[in-house]
Amino acid sequence: MSIDHPDTPAPAGTSRPPKGSFSPIDIAIRYGFLALLVGLVIFFSIYANGFAGPRSAVFVFQSVAITGILALGVTCTLVVGGFDLSIGSVATSSMMLSAYMMVVLEQPATVAILACLAMGAFIGLVNGLLIVKTKIPDLLATLGMMFLLVGLQRIPTEGRSIAMGMTLPDGSTAEGMFSPLFLSLGRHRFDFMLEKLLPAPVIFLVVIGILVWGFLELTRHGRLMYAIGSNERAASLTGTNVNKYKIMAYMISGVLASIGGMLLSARLGRGDIASGTNLLLDAVAASLIGFAVLGAAKPNAFGTAMGALFVGILLQGLTMMNAPYYTQDFIKGLVLVIALVFTFSLSARKSGSH
């Protein structure tokens, strides 16, 4: 049985596309998502009044920032062949913890921030250990952690959100307050096009996105993580400490989720137990849609950022067109399915070409 290697001369009477060329189908698969993104912007600009205005862009940027940060954490777990379903509950727990530290315990912002980062890293560590030591499948381990955190974050306040001046379970009144420095993390806007339009969380997303992209694409550790996700056994045989990198991926995911939760807390000025409900779905959608960007067919930071932007534009446009809220999840799911069709169509064509 012979294998037709790409460099083998084609038999007489047959033709092969020149090396480096793409068929129309390849081009559609590779650039179809970006074309869809541009088309979506044009469509909403025409049919949704005010969508093309600067205020609409601010709302898109704000929603993209937190979703994108969480999605980058999911991307790191996808790279090693895992999946983190606990990110939404980690973000909500971080939001509640930061509010509890400042409003109830009257701690400064720096202590609250460090506590949230430590909590995210610890939860990621526990997730990683459950997966690599007890061999619990990643979906089940992180799903269990999600339910654990959903219950745990409600216990200190008996299921109530945390706000300044709230009545505590013992009947006393919370005397602490959110630090202005902490609130600025989610509310400050930088000058953009002669107006203060660029929310601070967007800067966090850009910086974190660049760091994650550089780590995964340019460092030896990132390449080893991709190798683990591609073929864990082969990576292990080359001497790679597979367990260490898997645990590290989940710790990165936990820390990024905690950052997203703190930014949401800073933006709202309260610890709202219901605000993180859609974070998981949006972050997972963004990270999986990223597979289809530029035909990457793999988890990657740039694709995830574009996926988050797509989700943000889609939701903002639908909201401005007064689309019923109950249709939004359906449309997000439809877009995700289309993106995955692009992804696996490209993968199948790549496999068939070798």
Side-chain angles (χ1 to χ4, degrees):
M1 181 175 172
S2 61
I3 298 177
D4 185 19
H5 191 275
D7 294 330
T8 303
T14 64
S15 62
R16 173 178 292 161
K19 188 175 181 180
S21 67
F22 299 105
S23 70
I25 296 178
D26 289 328
I27 294 175
I29 292 173
R30 187 174 295 270
Y31 300 106
F33 175 80
L34 293 181
L36 182 62
L37 180 61
V38 173
L40 197 67
V41 172
I42 295 174
F43 174 81
F44 285 135
S45 298
I46 295 173
Y47 293 102
N49 292 330
F51 177 82
R55 299 300 172 190
S56 175
V58 169
F59 286 117
V60 171
F61 288 152
Q62 284 181 336
S63 63
V64 163
I66 295 174
T67 298
I69 291 172
L70 268 66
L72 287 169
V74 176
T75 299
C76 291
T77 62
L78 289 171
V79 166
V80 296
F83 202 82
D84 190 356
L85 288 176
S86 67
I87 54 159
S89 56
V90 174
T92 307
S93 297
S94 176
M95 180 170 53
M96 295 293 287
L97 177 60
S98 61
Y100 193 84
M101 293 289 290
M102 286 180 283
V103 174
V104 179
L105 301 183
E106 302 181 39
Q107 296 296 314
T110 51
V111 175
I113 292 172
L114 290 175
C116 290
L117 294 176
M119 180 204 68
F122 177 74
I123 293 172
L125 175 63
V126 173
N127 280 336
L129 291 175
L130 287 174
I131 293 166
V132 304
K133 296 298 183 182
T134 65
K135 306 301 180 184
I136 300 175
D138 51 350
L139 292 178
L140 296 181
T142 57
L143 182 65
M145 181 61 71
M146 179 185 76
F147 284 119
L148 187 153
L149 292 175
V150 167
L152 182 62
Q153 68 199 13
R154 299 170 184 263
I155 292 176
T157 60
E158 297 182 348
R160 287 172 287 185
S161 297
I162 300 175
M164 291 185 291
M166 67 176 291
T167 301
L168 299 175
D170 62 1
S172 62
T173 300
E175 298 182 356
M177 59 181 296
F178 280 92
S179 163
L181 173 63
F182 182 83
L183 293 176
S184 68
L185 298 178
R187 297 178 177 180
H188 182 74
R189 294 181 182 177
F190 294 93
D191 291 331
F192 180 70
M193 297 179 65
L194 303 180
E195 292 188 58
K196 289 188 178 297
L197 294 177
L198 194 61
V202 177
I203 304 301
F204 281 94
L205 172 62
V206 172
V207 172
I208 291 172
I210 292 173
L211 291 175
V212 171
W213 175 84
F215 176 74
L216 293 177
E217 302 291 342
L218 304 180
T219 69
R220 175 176 173 271
H221 300 295
R223 290 190 290 270
L224 288 176
M225 288 173 67
Y226 272 115
I228 292 169
S230 177
N231 191 324
E232 181 178 327
R233 179 171 176 77
S236 179
L237 292 175
T238 61
T240 303
N241 191 332
V242 173
N243 289 350
K244 182 186 77 172
Y245 282 105
K246 280 192 170 185
I247 292 173
M248 181 172 66
Y250 283 94
M251 291 183 70
I252 293 173
S253 179
V255 169
L256 293 185
S258 70
I259 292 174
M262 283 189 287
L263 293 177
L264 186 56
S265 175
R267 194 177 85 190
L268 298 176
R270 59 188 279 120
D272 191 344
I273 58 175
S275 294
T277 304
N278 291 326
L279 289 177
L280 172 61
L281 179 59
D282 291 348
V284 168
S287 58
L288 294 180
I289 288 172
F291 279 59
V293 177
L294 296 179
K298 67 176 185 178
N300 65 97
F302 176 75
T304 295
M306 290 297 99
L309 180 62
F310 186 91
V311 171
I313 290 174
L314 181 65
L315 295 183
Q316 178 66 11
L318 291 173
T319 300
M320 296 187 71
M321 291 185 68
N322 296 318
Y325 72 92
Y326 49 81
T327 64
Q328 295 187 1
D329 286 343
F330 168 78
I331 295 174
K332 280 189 290 186
L334 179 63
V335 169
L336 177 57
V337 169
I338 294 173
L340 293 178
V341 168
F342 275 106
T343 298
F344 288 99
S345 296
L346 178 63
S347 297
R349 290 180 66 83
K350 284 181 177 180
S351 300
S353 66
H354 292 290

